[in-house]
Amino acid sequence: MISVNQPSIPDTQKEQEQAQERAHKDGIEVTSQSPEAFEEMLWMAFFPETHDPTQSSVKGRHAEHPAFERFYDEHIRKLLAVRKRQRYVAKGNYNLVRLGYLHRLYPQAKFVLVIRDPVWHIASLMKQQALFVAGETSEPRALEHMRRVGHYEFGLDRRAINVGDDEETRRITALWEAGNEVEGWARYWAAIYAHLADTLDEDPELRKACLIVRYEDLCGTPRESLQAVFDHAELELEPQALAEAASGLHAPTYYKPRFSDAEVAMIAEITGPVAARFGY
């Protein structure tokens, strides 16, 4: 995650700036100084096909791109030097299909992988899709911005990640285009997390570097879950800081899934086998 600094804003104005809820409408408040993820532009520059649903986006342990690897490493080192830091944190949804590649490049890296009950997750994804479609429709510049920074998860130019199954990716895309959001998202959830489970099963060394965090555990036992994350990352956290961070975590109260019984049954049928691999 790269911190975006805007020196044109005076310090006094920064201090007076009021945090506002981000576009996702998920209770997370941000300011102009909040960290933002812009790494995806680097991946798109060296892998222009990475967001093409007709091609696999998977970058496994045997992937190679010397020019990208040199640039990416120098980029990270530059940021660490400028900010006088020892650790680099990158938040990237698309890195779920690059874990093997990243672990080969950085064997000491630690990965935190989040998963959520599919019914609630799909409800959240559908809410985000509706919000971003509305926002990009009313403000076309937003769509161009999303394309520039490589955020194709939601909106008018939503694109499914191809995890190596061309037929299933086409099926998901067709469902979305036909307005079958629930089934489309259910099949997408199953495809993404099946790929993740298979990847970890096939790569013991990568599995050791990964921590699976269930959203429900994070909300239900935030202190223990956060401690586990910091332990996995080999980072220390003061008890007071841990308590303050944990106090702000809770299950959402601003929306609930509104699926019919038939839709819930369909989600369970499609996602059930994969969800069970993660303890659901």
Side-chain angles (χ1 to χ4, degrees):
M1 188 174 290
I2 303 169
S3 180
V4 181
N5 294 318
Q6 298 185 23
S8 59
I9 301 177
D11 290 339
T12 54
Q13 186 174 338
K14 293 177 186 177
E15 294 173 0
Q16 297 172 358
E17 186 179 6
Q18 295 294 316
Q20 297 182 3
E21 188 175 32
R22 65 178 188 161
H24 301 69
K25 301 297 181 183
D26 56 5
I28 297 178
E29 296 185 341
V30 297
T31 71
S32 63
Q33 302 305 299
S34 296
E36 178 60 287
F38 284 121
E39 250 199 21
E40 196 59 26
M41 292 186 290
L42 306 183
W43 290 89
M44 292 192 301
F46 288 91
F47 300 97
E49 76 291 344
T50 193
H51 294 298
D52 181 352
T54 67
Q55 300 186 49
S56 173
S57 295
V58 177
K59 299 287 184 294
R61 185 172 291 280
H62 301 295
E64 291 186 355
H65 195 314
F68 167 76
E69 293 161 21
R70 182 174 60 253
F71 183 92
Y72 186 63
D73 194 63
E74 291 175 350
H75 168 73
I76 293 176
R77 292 178 183 276
K78 175 185 68 177
L79 289 172
L80 291 174
V82 169
R83 289 168 172 76
K84 298 180 174 59
R85 296 291 188 267
Q86 298 297 315
R87 302 289 293 267
Y88 175 80
V89 181
K91 181 263 184 185
N93 297 337
Y94 297 112
N95 285 346
L96 278 176
V97 290
R98 303 164 182 160
L99 294 174
Y101 187 31
L102 287 168
H103 192 241
R104 180 178 69 77
L105 298 180
Y106 301 99
Q108 294 181 315
K110 301 293 184 178
F111 303 93
V112 178
L113 311 174
V114 182
I115 191 169
R116 188 177 185 182
D117 175 273
V119 171
W120 276 87
H121 198 168
I122 291 166
S124 176
L125 293 167
M126 289 177 61
K127 178 174 71 72
Q128 297 304 325
Q129 173 64 8
L131 284 171
F132 276 78
V133 166
E136 292 171 0
T137 299
S138 63
E139 181 47 80
R141 290 182 301 175
L143 174 57
E144 292 308 311
H145 172 73
M146 298 295 280
R147 286 169 169 163
R148 280 195 300 270
V149 299
H151 283 311
Y152 293 98
E153 297 95 332
F154 308 107
L156 296 173
D157 195 9
R158 172 178 50 177
R159 304 181 190 181
I161 300 172
N162 185 329
V163 295
D165 188 334
D166 294 348
E167 183 178 350
E168 185 64 6
T169 304
R170 285 193 296 269
R171 185 177 189 177
I172 292 165
T173 301
L175 286 166
W176 282 343
E177 291 177 347
N180 296 325
E181 291 287 310
V182 179
E183 183 177 355
W185 280 114
R187 293 193 177 281
Y188 193 39
W189 191 99
I192 292 295
Y193 285 107
H195 168 76
L196 175 60
D198 290 343
T199 298
L200 298 184
D201 285 348
E202 296 165 4
D203 193 333
E205 289 304 310
L206 173 61
R207 181 68 185 85
K208 293 178 184 177
C210 294
L211 175 69
I212 303 293
V213 177
R214 301 202 318 174
Y215 180 85
E216 297 75 23
D217 297 334
L218 186 62
C219 293
T221 56
R223 190 184 187 98
E224 295 80 0
S225 298
L226 286 176
Q227 187 64 65
V229 169
F230 275 78
D231 289 345
H232 178 71
E234 300 178 5
L235 291 170
E236 295 183 1
L237 185 63
E238 293 295 328
Q240 182 61 31
L242 175 62
E244 291 178 359
S247 67
L249 294 173
H250 58 78
T253 58
Y254 50 92
Y255 76 97
K256 291 182 179 179
R258 297 181 178 178
F259 299 126
S260 67
D261 291 344
E263 288 172 331
V264 171
M266 179 176 62
I267 293 172
E269 180 180 0
I270 294 172
T271 66
V274 178
R277 299 175 72 177
F278 293 92
Y280 288 104

